[in-house]
Amino acid sequence: MSSKINVAAPLVILHGDEMAQVAFERILDTFVTTRLDVPLVEIDLSAENRLVTNGQVVLEAIEALKQHGVGVKNAGMTVNRTQLGELLAKHPELDGARLHPLATKSPNGAIRKGIGGNITREDIQFRNLQFNKPEWIGRDIEVETMATGGSKDSYNELSRATGIVRLMFVGASGDPVELHRREVNKGAPWLLATNDLDAIKAWAHRFFQRAIDEQRDIYLGLKDTVIAGYDGVMRAAIEGIYEQEYKARVEALGLAYHYELIDAQAARIVANPPERALWGVPDNTTGRKLYKLVEQLKVYGIPSRKAQVSISRMSAGGGDQYGSYNAPAAEDGILKVIVDGDEKHARHVKKGDPILLMSNDREAIKDWVTQVFRDASRKQKEVYFGLKREYMDYDEVFSEVITSVRRELAQGGTPPPSFMIMRPSSQLIKMITDPPRNALYPAQNLDGDIFSDISAALGGSLATASSIIESKSGTMLFEAPHGTAHDLYLKYLESDGEEAHFNSSALIFAVANALETLGEREDNAALVDYAGRLKTALIDTVADGIITGDLKGKTTDPAAETLVDMQGFLDAVATRLAA
């Protein structure tokens, strides 16, 4: 007779890439298939398979999640230009010019939009981890951002009726060409932003020259993987200038140049800051937030973290930048926004200027705010919203929805949690420098990406945080907030699999959360108990000082730490689970 726990409902497994995938396969073997009799719906979401299937596999993942309701997603690569070229060379049968965006873009936004899910990320409550604060007071780091362009100089409004927004372009021919159209519902916000390519290049010259004059290491942060036609255009222009005119001078001075995605870079700079650096964040809305945070840290530093931090990220519907139309202008001309035949706004653009048209859905915003308040009430959290209402009609809808949801909860007999609305920069500063005992920080999509990576890094490691995507329909997707660990994967390959260094805590926790949810839904007490014991075994392993290299020196008793590789850590968790 099998000793496995029987599970009736299927569990959706979304596979990923690189070192995270090596760990994921071992976790599934150690803690799922050998211990549970559970049907798995496995889908390969690796970068190569997304390309080979021309993105179709992403749609299959969405349908599987909607059908079965509970899944675990592993981290996957978002290919850059070099990696895409390598994959296309490997598959000459593919026509790179005819690829669907889902074939090359991150699948995360499409999946969240497909299931209508929002993200909550919070610390795993390890008992003995402590954050070794870097000395931030007086730190010699400067933030350089553009003064104009982007969402700061956008045209944005709330739709007065349900209808069609069309983005038109009039170039040298004089004939209007439709670039994009989308339906917006009454009360939904939309926004048109552009940036001036000449202004971007002028900023790049000032940025690199300042770094040389002040002899600072250079950091550049954008989100070119997700907003390729906007941030990607800026990155290409800035790095082109660096390569042609500044690289040799920078290297001759012994200075370093670093480019990372803005969320990963923000986490690294805050948690492990360089001694002397110039941090370039061209997007002025994001740049001003991070400038204010850095200036605050210089004065007050980072306090000891004694509170659990949770971040809810508004991503259902794929709204804001992550669901935008973004592309460079093909030639000089005029952009026009037409809503149901009425021209709402027009502006000049030049060839190469990045263009972004984004919107969100009022009902999706309402679902998110309701989820935020429900989570906060259940876990007795204080809520701190971040909105820039003073110059953004786009954000005003969030304020209106918060008020209406609070009223509906009160009328339904559910006391809403205490909450506060502040500017996003103040929200970020409070989260880092003055966190209350048990707080939830709701943020829009891009802010939420940046804030959650900063918070996870300050919690000790991206692998010590959990991530839950929940939809209004009840679909639950659990994932780890970390990436694929490309550098560790290269070492793994170079050593023929002998060097396997990876903290698999977040992936184990995601699997345990998914199993717990399955157990609760089918009233399977044995499965719920097993999932709880798996979480406890993970936390007890770290409590015993058995850790991977990324947590070295971050426990309350560094002298008692035992460093193990990835397999050693999984074995240790399995031993405690058996006990």
Side-chain angles (χ1 to χ4, degrees):
M1 183 176 178
S2 173
S3 60
K4 293 183 178 181
I5 298 171
N6 289 314
V7 185
L11 176 63
V12 178
I13 300 294
L14 305 182
H15 292 287
D17 286 293
E18 300 191 319
M19 205 63 218
Q21 182 59 24
V22 176
F24 197 41
E25 290 172 359
R26 296 189 189 181
I27 289 168
L28 292 174
D29 180 61
T30 305
F31 301 114
V32 178
T33 57
T34 60
R35 298 170 184 267
L36 307 174
D37 186 3
V38 54
L40 300 181
V41 178
E42 300 188 67
I43 297 174
D44 179 3
L45 272 186
S46 65
E48 184 170 359
N49 199 45
R50 298 198 312 269
L51 186 72
V52 168
T53 63
N54 201 20
Q56 183 62 35
V57 70
V58 179
L59 301 179
E60 293 175 10
I62 292 168
E63 289 308 309
L65 290 168
K66 290 165 70 174
Q67 179 181 351
H68 301 294
V70 182
V72 183
K73 181 184 177 300
N74 194 15
M77 289 170 55
T78 302
V79 294
N80 57 32
R81 286 169 292 182
T82 300
Q83 292 165 330
L84 176 58
E86 292 171 350
L87 285 174
L88 288 174
K90 184 178 178 182
H91 294 279
E93 73 279 6
L94 298 177
D95 183 353
R98 296 189 177 185
L99 292 175
H100 191 280
L102 290 176
T104 56
K105 288 187 175 182
S106 166
N108 296 342
I111 290 172
R112 292 164 196 151
K113 180 179 180 180
I115 66 174
N118 296 300
I119 307 171
T120 301
R121 288 183 176 174
E122 60 188 22
D123 307 332
I124 301 172
Q125 296 192 41
F126 290 108
R127 298 188 297 273
N128 64 321
L129 291 186
Q130 61 182 2
F131 173 60
N132 295 330
K133 299 179 295 177
E135 183 52 60
W136 249 101
I137 295 177
R139 177 75 64 166
D140 193 5
I141 294 176
E142 298 292 334
V143 179
E144 183 83 18
T145 189
M146 293 183 67
T148 59
S151 56
K152 180 182 178 184
D153 294 328
S154 69
Y155 180 84
N156 61 95
E157 67 171 43
L158 306 184
S159 180
R160 296 167 194 167
T162 296
I164 301 296
V165 173
R166 295 190 299 153
L167 183 63
M168 309 296 294
F169 178 77
V170 182
S173 69
D175 298 322
V177 176
E178 182 176 292
L179 299 179
H180 180 71
R181 68 164 57 198
R182 64 176 58 197
E183 182 177 329
V184 293
N185 296 316
K186 183 178 181 180
W190 60 268
L191 174 153
L192 173 69
T194 60
N195 227 320
D196 185 296
L197 191 61
D198 289 336
I200 294 166
K201 292 177 178 178
W203 176 86
H205 284 290
R206 293 194 301 271
F207 173 58
F208 292 126
Q209 190 59 54
R210 181 182 175 188
I212 288 171
D213 292 344
E214 299 177 9
Q215 297 200 17
R216 296 177 181 274
D217 287 336
I218 302 168
Y219 290 78
L220 176 67
L222 287 158
K223 194 71 174 177
D224 63 301
T225 53
V226 175
I227 323 173
Y230 196 78
D231 280 28
V233 171
M234 289 195 279
R235 178 186 177 185
I238 294 166
E239 290 195 326
I241 287 171
Y242 174 72
E243 292 288 335
Q244 294 170 20
E245 301 188 39
Y246 294 95
K247 181 179 180 180
R249 296 162 62 189
V250 166
E251 292 179 349
L253 290 170
L255 303 176
Y257 169 78
H258 304 275
Y259 175 82
E260 283 183 302
L261 295 179
I262 185 61
D263 43 351
Q265 192 173 93
R268 186 185 304 278
I269 286 184
V270 170
N272 186 26
E275 290 298 321
R276 183 173 169 82
L278 184 63
W279 187 9
V281 185
D283 176 77
N284 55 58
T285 305
T286 300
R288 289 298 298 173
K289 293 186 190 84
L290 296 173
Y291 169 80
K292 291 176 181 178
L293 173 64
V294 166
E295 293 303 302
Q296 188 89 353
L297 292 175
K298 288 179 183 178
V299 176
Y300 299 106
I302 298 175
S304 297
R305 173 174 276 197
K306 298 178 181 178
Q308 181 193 33
V309 172
S310 301
I311 296 173
S312 180
R313 177 176 159 202
M314 199 276 153
S315 57
D320 303 325
Q321 294 95 329
Y322 287 57
S324 68
Y325 167 82
N326 56 92
E331 59 176 318
D332 294 0
I334 299 174
L335 277 180
K336 296 183 177 183
V337 181
I338 312 294
V339 181
D340 288 344
D342 293 333
E343 183 178 308
K344 293 292 184 179
H345 180 71
R347 63 173 62 184
H348 287 275
V349 290
K350 303 191 307 301
K351 182 178 180 179
D353 285 354
I355 301 165
L356 181 145
L357 177 71
M358 71 183 195
S359 64
N360 216 316
D361 183 75
R362 194 180 192 281
E363 286 305 307
I365 294 169
K366 185 176 181 180
D367 291 344
W368 173 59
V369 172
T370 302
Q371 180 181 315
V372 165
F373 279 146
R374 184 173 64 244
D375 181 42
S377 295
R378 185 169 61 243
K379 299 180 181 177
Q380 297 183 321
K381 296 177 181 177
E382 299 172 351
V383 181
Y384 296 87
F385 288 96
L387 299 171
K388 43 188 180 293
R389 296 175 295 172
E390 65 275 14
Y391 67 89
M392 290 285 288
D393 290 341
Y394 192 98
D395 278 19
E396 189 61 40
V397 66
F398 289 84
S399 180
E400 295 172 4
V401 168
I402 289 166
T403 301
S404 69
V405 169
R406 186 175 185 276
R407 185 183 303 115
E408 289 176 12
L409 288 173
Q411 290 173 346
T414 302
S418 61
F419 75 96
M420 181 179 295
I421 298 175
M422 55 183 63
R423 298 179 71 167
S425 56
S426 300
Q427 179 194 36
L428 176 60
I429 289 169
K430 183 169 185 62
M431 183 183 82
I432 304 306
T433 65
D434 184 29
R437 178 180 57 82
N438 195 25
L440 178 62
Y441 299 90
Q444 295 177 47
N445 213 329
L446 182 57
D447 281 354
D449 225 354
I450 297 169
F451 294 4
S452 61
D453 273 21
I454 291 175
S455 179
L458 294 179
S461 166
L462 287 171
T464 62
S466 67
S467 184
I468 302 169
I469 301 172
E470 179 180 357
S471 76
K472 182 181 179 181
S473 65
T475 298
M476 303 286 286
L477 178 61
F478 301 91
E479 62 179 359
H482 57 64
T484 61
H486 178 69
D487 54 340
L488 298 179
Y489 186 60
L490 292 180
K491 292 180 181 178
Y492 175 79
L493 294 177
E494 290 168 1
S495 67
D496 291 326
E498 293 298 317
E499 283 194 51
H501 299 290
F502 182 82
N503 187 340
S504 51
S505 296
L507 276 173
I508 295 172
F509 206 80
V511 168
N513 272 333
L515 295 175
E516 185 176 53
T517 301
L518 277 182
E520 291 170 348
R521 292 188 175 184
E522 64 181 49
D523 198 22
N524 188 331
L527 182 58
V528 172
D529 175 70
Y530 173 74
R533 288 190 292 111
L534 179 55
K535 291 181 184 180
T536 299
L538 169 65
I539 291 169
D540 286 349
T541 298
V542 176
D544 290 340
I546 300 175
I547 57 171
T548 46
D550 59 312
L551 297 181
K552 181 180 180 181
K554 295 180 180 179
T555 68
T556 52
D557 187 6
E561 293 174 357
T562 301
L563 293 185
V564 293
D565 64 6
M566 182 183 74
Q567 189 59 51
F569 186 77
L570 294 177
D571 290 343
V573 175
T575 297
R576 280 153 187 77
L577 179 63

